Amino acid sequence: MELKQSIKTVGAFGVTAAAGLLGSIALASPAQAAVATIPINDGNVPTTAAEFGDQSCDQVPDDIAATEDGWVFVLPAAAGAEGNFISVTATFEDAEGDEHVLTTDEDGGIVSGSGDNKAYIITPAGWTLVDAEAEVNDPDEGAQFNLTHTCPGEPGEEPSSPGEEPSSPSEEPTSPGDGSSQPGEETTSPTAGGQLPTTGTPLTIAIVSAAALAAGGAALYLIQRRRREAQNW
């Protein structure tokens, strides 16, 4: 009799334990299903980092390059979610209009720390944020998250350096230009030398004139001499 009572007691305990286990599984299942995707606030997009109103490099890594933009997102208390972001996926457009999808897993991170509820993504400077969504735990219906601030880079800074290099070769042709003036000056010397025949022409005329005068004087002398000789005869 006691054996049968013990078997009934053990059986009842097993049923109670099984029911408790099933109840725990049932409670755990909604917790897993509570992960949901929420959109970014429509008023935050589209925007570039430089055009966004709130700018700060807080929550962005210190080693961010000068040619990169930092984007920081916040999960507000109004979203009613539990804990921080699980992940953020954002869509950007580059200067040519091509779309790029970046995530906190590959291109950023979740900011750790109690009460921070922030995440960041790093992009090349000048890209435009056009859309974003986030995975969070147990948000309220209609919940959204925000772009809280940006850390703008300077896309034109590095390309300007290669642009300055051609300026040096452009200055070099000025040297040949200066040198070309020297041959121009040398040509003036032959021009001056070309005037020598001109200066020699009066000298030639003077010599010819002197010779003519000498010949004329000699002729007059001979004529006078002959006249004298004729008179003597």
Side-chain angles (χ1 to χ4, degrees), residues 154-173:
E154 299 178 2
E157 183 176 354
E158 291 188 355
S160 64
S161 298
E164 293 174 358
E165 292 179 359
S167 63
S168 297
S170 65
E171 294 176 357
E172 292 179 358

Side-chain angles (χ1 to χ4, degrees), residues 151-227:
C151 179
E154 299 178 2
E157 183 176 354
E158 291 188 355
S160 64
S161 298
E164 293 174 358
E165 292 179 359
S167 63
S168 297
S170 65
E171 294 176 357
E172 292 179 358
T174 59
S175 297
D178 295 338
S180 61
S181 63
Q182 294 177 356
E185 293 174 357
E186 291 178 358
T187 56
T188 59
S189 298
T191 303
Q195 295 176 356
L196 290 176
T198 304
T199 56
T201 300
L203 180 61
T204 303
I205 293 173
I207 294 173
V208 172
S209 299
L213 291 173
L220 290 174
Y221 175 76
L222 292 174
I223 291 171
Q224 291 177 357
R225 182 177 178 180
R226 288 179 180 178
R227 285 179 180 178

Side-chain angles (χ1 to χ4, degrees), residues 68-117:
E68 292 179 325
D69 287 337
W71 306 80
V72 181
F73 306 94
V74 62
L75 181 62
E82 295 181 0
N84 202 344
F85 289 106
I86 296 174
S87 67
V88 176
T89 301
T91 303
F92 296 87
E93 284 187 359
D94 59 24
E96 286 71 32
D98 297 329
E99 287 193 352
H100 305 268
V101 178
L102 280 64
T103 67
T104 50
D105 294 336
E106 300 293 334
D107 311 288
I110 306 299
V111 178
S112 62
S114 176
D116 284 336
N117 294 336

Side-chain angles (χ1 to χ4, degrees), residues 27-151:
L27 291 174
S29 296
Q32 294 177 354
V35 175
T37 300
I38 61 175
I40 191 170
N41 186 337
D42 290 341
N44 296 156
V45 292
T47 184
T48 63
E51 293 172 345
F52 193 68
D54 295 327
Q55 297 180 3
S56 170
C57 291
D58 292 343
Q59 287 85 44
V60 173
D62 294 335
D63 59 352
I64 185 172
T67 55
E68 292 179 325
D69 287 337
W71 306 80
V72 181
F73 306 94
V74 62
L75 181 62
E82 295 181 0
N84 202 344
F85 289 106
I86 296 174
S87 67
V88 176
T89 301
T91 303
F92 296 87
E93 284 187 359
D94 59 24
E96 286 71 32
D98 297 329
E99 287 193 352
H100 305 268
V101 178
L102 280 64
T103 67
T104 50
D105 294 336
E106 300 293 334
D107 311 288
I110 306 299
V111 178
S112 62
S114 176
D116 284 336
N117 294 336
K118 292 184 176 67
Y120 69 90
I121 288 178
I122 305 299
T123 69
W127 283 14
T128 301
L129 175 66
V130 295
D131 196 11
E133 60 182 23
E135 286 188 346
V136 297
N137 283 315
D138 196 21
D140 292 343
E141 185 176 355
Q144 295 180 330
F145 68 100
N146 300 318
L147 174 65
T148 176
H149 57 267
T150 61
C151 179

